[in-house]
Amino acid sequence: ADTLALSSVEVDIAPIAVGQRVTVKWRGKPIFIDHRTAKEIAEARAVKLADLRDPALDKDRVKKQEWLIVIGICTHLGCIPKGQKPGAPRGAYGGWYCACHGSQYDTAGRIRKGPAPENLWLPEYKFVNDHTVKIG
Ligand code: FES
């Protein structure tokens, strides 16, 4: 049971308001859960694959369009990007901003500018029901 408890975490997402982001720990890593606004979803979906360094469609990075769930570790050198807290810098693409060397991610967690080579990675997860996400 201890091993199982460590390998996955269930998160009640009901209290997370539209536009709010929360961070949970999973296997020692920060997981960013972003309850995206309609505007953020539209921005993510309007981007052309040709404009992306690590091409991926928004719809292939989410299970439900309102919920973006990514591992909060910059793919450059492993810093934790800013953007989770209200008022924190999010960079020019509205996602996350990594202060160490200026990587900027969009509202799908895709790398748009700066040295990071890849998009923010996706954890394994599933929706157990409408208000519970199981990560791992
Ligand atoms: Fe994020 Fe360097 S670790 S830009």
Side-chain angles (χ1 to χ4, degrees):
D2 284 350
T3 311
L4 270 180
L6 287 172
S7 67
S8 66
V9 56
E10 289 202 359
V11 184
D12 178 9
I13 56 172
I16 306 173
V18 176
Q20 190 181 358
R21 295 172 169 182
V22 304
T23 305
V24 299
K25 266 271 172 76
W26 172 66
R27 296 184 188 166
K29 300 182 179 77
I31 303 297
F32 293 171
I33 300 176
D34 181 6
H35 194 174
R36 300 192 297 183
T37 64
K39 179 171 176 279
E40 289 168 335
I41 295 165
E43 283 171 2
R45 299 207 159 191
V47 177
K48 296 191 188 73
L49 280 183
D51 292 336
L52 295 169
R53 179 178 305 165
D54 181 8
L57 292 172
D58 181 69
K59 72 175 180 60
D60 295 330
R61 290 181 54 78
V62 294
K63 295 187 197 286
K64 293 185 181 186
Q65 64 178 9
E66 296 86 356
W67 296 99
L68 177 70
I69 301 176
V70 295
I71 299 175
I73 297 177
C74 183
T75 63
H76 177 224
L77 294 174
C79 291
I80 298 176
K82 296 187 186 306
Q84 286 295 93
K85 298 213 173 91
R90 293 185 168 191
Y93 301 88
W96 289 269
Y97 172 73
C98 191
C100 82
H101 306 90
S103 286
Q104 299 183 38
Y105 296 88
D106 68 13
T107 58
R110 295 171 299 201
I111 185 64
R112 302 299 297 277
K113 198 171 184 185
E118 294 177 24
N119 302 331
L120 294 178
W121 298 309
L122 307 176
E124 299 160 44
Y125 71 92
K126 66 178 178 194
F127 286 89
V128 179
N129 53 45
D130 280 348
H131 57 85
T132 310
V133 175
K134 184 178 182 185
I135 298 165

